[in-house]
Every structure is written in structure tokens, then in C-alpha cells.
Amino acid sequence: MNKPVLQNWQSVQAEVLRRIHSRHWKPGDLIPTETELAAEFGCARATVNRALRTLAESGLLDRRRKAGTRVALQPVAKATLDISLIRHDVEARGQTYGYQLLERRMEVPPPAVSGAIKTASKTKLLHLQALHLADSSPHAFEDRWINTDVVPGAIAEPFDVISGNEWLLSHAPYTHGDIAFSAATASEREATVLGCAGMSALFVIDRLTWNNDGAVTKVRLAFEPGHRMRTVL
Amino acid sequence: MNKPVLQNWQSVQAEVLRRIHSRHWKPGDLIPTETELAAEFGCARATVNRALRTLAESGLLDRRRKAGTRVALQPVAKATLDISLIRHDVEARGQTYGYQLLERRMEVPPPAVSGAIKTASKTKLLHLQALHLADSSPHAFEDRWINTDVVPGAIAEPFDVISGNEWLLSHAPYTHGDIAFSAATASEREATVLGCAGMSALFVIDRLTWNNDGAVTKVRLAFEPGHRMRTVL
DNA sequence: CAGTGGTCTAGACCACGAT
DNA sequence: TCGTGGTCTAGACCACTGA
């Protein structure tokens, strides 16, 4: 009986994963306690805890005090998307990034926007429209509203060379936000600006971010036809 | 000088977050070492480590041995998407889930599929097409190829009441996979099955999963027009 | 009530990597 | 080289929750 001593949490995690994938521990099964596993592996309980806690965070295990640790019945796949700056995305693909401001004006937003940002319906907000380019061809169309009550500094920024996202990140970082992904048919303006056919299907990201003072910005990004957002499971 | 003793990693993390958001520590700044913070907060270094490590995993801090810990210049937003079963999604919205198998046959896949699954180009695979319903109306169209070399048990499964995803989760769990999100115009078949206009923009998920024996399945999910996938930042 | 996971501590050693 | 984060240990106490 060989007892390979597992002394770091990664190897403990790998062994636990091996037992799950080999169906030695099946979905729904109760697995040994941390103390038992620590004894078996010859390591401290804290090491086992780190291994199991990480697996629980990724959805593969269900842990409850007193009830113990079970292999998840239906592992909810958690895909982590890195929402980076469009500039970084483009440059990471080896293309040259370009930016072009199309519109910049203070105006009263449509009800959908003022409702989301929760300003009085007649309050003017800073409205930006811009185009992100990859190798000189249109990559994404950005339509952004900035809450100048929360970010007064934006009024003085022309946004002609730096995008709204990059400026906001360094001048008014958000504390939290929500994001939605969807598909939409290109509007006439989007088709014109992106240089695509009128009814093309566009991948769209809508984002609304907040800091401690309130809503910072609402942005809609419509990507060129064919754009894919990838990640691993 | 009050020194509120912070004794758990969540409160240490909250204090660090407060200093970042209040711009006491600005993007790019080097923050004190774990040892210094532990002394300041009156807790063990391991507690500070857990707080800072978690923040680094979420992209808000950059940590490097010897170089120390810095506030991230451009916090890469990490959005975690829970890719759950469509059935759970539908039921979570309070709708009734339905499933309908449209096609099930062994056939030679198109080159794109055999290339991704890495089988010989003439190998037949199990091809499923199915419809997921929410409150009796079409919700998503599933087009799936299953590698019967890796999952021979699938040949005997009719898939008439249980979806490919649910069957595979309990009979051939994957160890890893990749996933891509995009937008596509509805094909004629998709428009017919989903009951939408011919050129509608559909939100599409493509997924390819593997276990230790090779590629398990390749699936494309096309959602009804207007479908959104949300999460928080 | 008692078992299990969640966390903290104080100390130790190690690995990486900036200088 | 040597400072910093990464991790392990052994022990302790606590919080939650099932029985």
C-alpha cells in the first residue's frame, strides 16, 4: 500500500479531481471529511481545505457544515469572461487598434437610459458615440451615456483620442456593475458606421456600472458581424 | 489614533477595497507588504494574504514576488457566467420547461465538425437536433454532435425525453471545454423551428467539451430573438 | 447536541524574480 | 542576492446545521 504524500493543495486537488473523473466518487456521493483526507494524504487539514474550497467555488463540489462535502450532481459550468479594453483585445490579436469619436454632446437621454441611470428624466447626460477600429476596419460601435452628476470631470474631457472606457477606468473606477450579452439586428446607423449590411446580426454587450455615488455610465457595444467572444470551461 | 483590529479576511478585504475606491491607493500604486498590513491591522499575515490573493484573482490587484502588490492599472473585469442547464434557466424565470427531439441519426458530420472533434472525416457521429421550450414557446434550438467513440453508451439512448446535455452530464462528464458566444442571422431551418422571422438575429453559444478520452460533444445553441445572458461585474 | 467546514494564528520554509 | 509573496503546519476556536 503506497501512500504518496501529497504536500500541496494543487496535488490534493488533482487527486480529488481524478477520483471524481474516474467515477470513484460519483455525483451526489459524500466524500470523506477534511480531517480524514488530511490523514490519508499526510498533509495538514488547511491544505485539504484549500483544495476542496477551490473546487467548491468552481462548482464541482457542494459543501455544507455538518452535512459534509458531496460531488455536485449537476456541475454548473462557470465560464469566466475577461472583459478587457477593446484596445487590448485588438492588440492581443496582433491587429492595430484605432479609435474615432463620432458624436459628443450633452443631451436628454431616452427614458430607457434615464431609467437605468436613475436620473430625473429631464437631466442632460453626456452622450458619446465612437468607433473602435482593428487594422483600420470597423470593429465595434460604442454608444455611451455618462452621468455627469457622478463624474463631473467628464464634461471637460473631449474624448477625441481616448475612449470613454479608458478615461473612466482611470478617473472614475466603478465598484460594481452588470453586463448583458445579446444579439441584435444592425440598425441603419450601426450598419452605416460598421460598414455592414442593413440587417446583419451583431453581437451586443450592454453594461451599466456604478460607484459609491451612483450610476457612472451606461454603454452599448455592437461588434462587427462574425465577432465571437471565447473562453474556456 | 484608533486601530480597529480587523480579524477576518473579509474585513481586511473591505478595508483594502475602501482605500482603492477612495483613491487613497491609486491605480499603479505599490501598497504595503503583507507583513506591514498584518501589523497595521493586528492580524496574522495569512489573513492579509487571503484578502489580497482573492482581490488579485478578481483582477483588482497585481501581485508579483519581490516586486510587491500594486493596484491594477486597468482592472480587467472578470464576468463569471453560470452556464447552467437550459431547463434550470427556464425554471428559474418561473416558466415551464419543455423539450422536443427533432432529429436523431448517425451520420457523417460536415468537415467543420469532424475537424473540431478530431475524428477521421468519414466517421459517423450521433447527430441530435432538439428544441427547448419555455411556456410552450420555442426558447432555444440545439444542434449537437456526440462522439460515440468516446461515449458509446449514447447509441442506446433515445434522447426523446432527456436532452443531450443532461444525459451527458450524468453519463460522460467533461473535464474541460471551450465556449464561444456570438450572433448569427437565423437560417431558414432555425427560423422555422424557433418561429421567428427569416433574418432574425440570434444569440448563439458554441461549446466543445472533452474528457480524458477525447472530444465528447460539440453543440450549438441558437436562442430565440431577444434572448439576453446577464451577469454582474 | 455534536459533527463538519470556515477561519485564525504564529511560525517556518520555499520559489520567484527584481536589482 | 535577498525581499516579497506562496504555501504548509499544528493547533485552536467558532458557526452553522443536521439529527
Side-chain angles (χ1 to χ4, degrees):
Chain A
M1 183 76 189
N2 57 338
K3 292 207 172 208
V5 178
L6 304 182
Q7 292 196 348
N8 58 49
W9 70 268
Q10 291 95 331
S11 57
V12 170
Q13 188 178 68
E15 172 60 16
V16 171
L17 271 175
R18 194 190 62 73
R19 294 187 186 183
I20 294 175
H21 288 146
S22 71
R23 303 180 76 64
H24 179 59
W25 292 336
K26 301 185 189 64
D29 281 3
L30 194 62
I31 76 174
T33 66
E34 293 187 349
T35 312
E36 288 164 352
L37 288 175
E40 184 194 344
F41 295 149
C43 64
R45 182 166 79 94
T47 307
V48 175
N49 178 274
R50 173 102 187 248
L52 298 187
R53 176 165 40 83
T54 310
L55 287 174
E57 281 165 5
S58 72
L60 231 68
L61 295 176
D62 278 338
R63 318 196 74 194
R64 264 160 36 224
R65 283 160 153 132
K66 170 75 178 177
T69 300
R70 290 176 183 280
V71 179
L73 275 172
Q74 279 149 348
V76 175
K78 304 210 170 170
T80 304
L81 291 174
D82 289 354
I83 316 293
S84 52
L85 293 174
I86 293 180
R87 178 163 63 80
H88 290 175
D89 253 22
V90 169
E91 288 169 352
R93 281 200 300 276
Q95 298 181 294
T96 305
Y97 174 76
Y99 170 79
Q100 192 180 332
L101 181 66
L102 303 177
E103 292 282 348
R104 182 199 185 287
R105 64 169 86 118
M106 293 294 298
E107 61 184 313
V108 174
V113 173
S114 60
I117 295 192
K118 291 192 173 36
T119 51
S121 59
K122 286 174 288 186
T123 308
K124 287 188 176 180
L125 300 177
L126 180 57
H127 187 200
L128 301 179
Q129 289 190 334
L131 195 59
H132 299 268
L133 308 160
D135 281 346
S136 305
S137 65
H139 177 62
F141 173 64
E142 173 177 326
D143 188 80
R144 180 185 295 273
W145 294 85
I146 296 176
N147 186 349
T148 46
D149 285 350
V150 170
V151 201
I155 297 172
E157 167 62 41
F159 292 105
D160 51 352
V161 294
I162 185 172
S163 75
N165 200 8
E166 294 197 45
W167 186 88
L168 286 167
L169 272 178
S170 49
H171 292 78
Y174 60 86
T175 54
H176 60 284
D178 57 47
I179 189 165
F181 307 92
S182 58
T185 52
S187 67
E188 203 170 311
R189 170 148 176 80
E190 285 166 339
T192 306
V193 174
L194 288 171
C196 61
M199 291 288 280
S200 302
L202 304 181
F203 184 72
V204 172
I205 299 182
D206 283 289
R207 201 172 357 164
L208 182 59
T209 55
W210 306 70
N211 68 15
N212 295 324
D213 299 324
V216 174
T217 188
K218 182 180 192 306
V219 61
R220 172 190 158 103
L221 287 165
F223 290 85
E224 59 181 336
H227 180 76
R228 293 162 72 83
M229 171 166 266
R230 304 159 202 266
T231 187
V232 294
L233 291 176
Chain B
M1 183 80 188
N2 56 338
K3 293 206 172 209
V5 178
L6 305 181
Q7 291 197 347
N8 58 49
W9 70 269
Q10 292 94 331
S11 57
V12 170
Q13 188 179 67
E15 172 60 16
V16 171
L17 272 175
R18 194 189 63 75
R19 294 187 186 182
I20 294 175
H21 288 146
S22 70
R23 303 179 76 65
H24 180 58
W25 292 335
K26 301 184 188 65
D29 280 4
L30 194 62
I31 77 174
T33 66
E34 294 187 347
T35 313
E36 289 163 352
L37 288 175
E40 184 194 344
F41 294 149
C43 66
R45 181 165 80 94
T47 307
V48 175
N49 178 275
R50 172 105 186 244
L52 299 186
R53 175 164 40 83
T54 311
L55 288 175
E57 281 165 6
S58 72
L60 230 69
L61 295 176
D62 277 338
R63 319 195 74 194
R64 267 159 30 225
R65 283 160 153 134
K66 169 74 180 178
T69 300
R70 291 176 182 280
V71 180
L73 274 173
Q74 279 146 349
V76 175
K78 303 208 172 170
T80 305
L81 291 174
D82 289 355
I83 315 292
S84 51
L85 294 173
I86 292 180
R87 178 163 63 80
H88 289 175
D89 254 23
V90 169
E91 288 170 351
R93 281 199 300 274
Q95 298 180 294
T96 305
Y97 173 76
Y99 170 80
Q100 191 180 333
L101 181 65
L102 303 178
E103 293 282 348
R104 183 199 184 287
R105 63 169 87 119
M106 293 294 298
E107 61 184 312
V108 174
V113 172
S114 60
I117 295 193
K118 290 192 174 37
T119 50
S121 58
K122 287 175 291 190
T123 308
K124 287 188 176 180
L125 300 177
L126 181 57
H127 187 198
L128 301 178
Q129 289 190 334
L131 196 58
H132 299 268
L133 307 161
D135 280 347
S136 306
S137 64
H139 177 63
F141 173 63
E142 172 177 327
D143 188 82
R144 180 184 295 272
W145 294 85
I146 296 176
N147 186 350
T148 45
D149 285 350
V150 170
V151 200
I155 297 173
E157 168 63 39
F159 293 107
D160 51 352
V161 294
I162 185 171
S163 75
N165 199 9
E166 293 197 44
W167 187 87
L168 285 167
L169 270 178
S170 48
H171 292 78
Y174 59 86
T175 54
H176 60 283
D178 57 47
I179 189 165
F181 307 92
S182 57
T185 52
S187 66
E188 203 169 313
R189 171 148 176 79
E190 285 166 339
T192 307
V193 179
L194 288 170
C196 61
M199 292 287 283
S200 301
L202 305 181
F203 183 73
V204 171
I205 299 181
D206 282 289
R207 200 170 0 163
L208 182 58
T209 54
W210 305 71
N211 68 15
N212 294 323
D213 299 324
V216 174
T217 189
K218 182 180 192 308
V219 61
R220 172 189 158 103
L221 287 165
F223 289 85
E224 59 181 335
H227 179 75
R228 293 162 72 83
M229 172 167 265
R230 304 158 202 264
T231 187
V232 294
L233 291 177

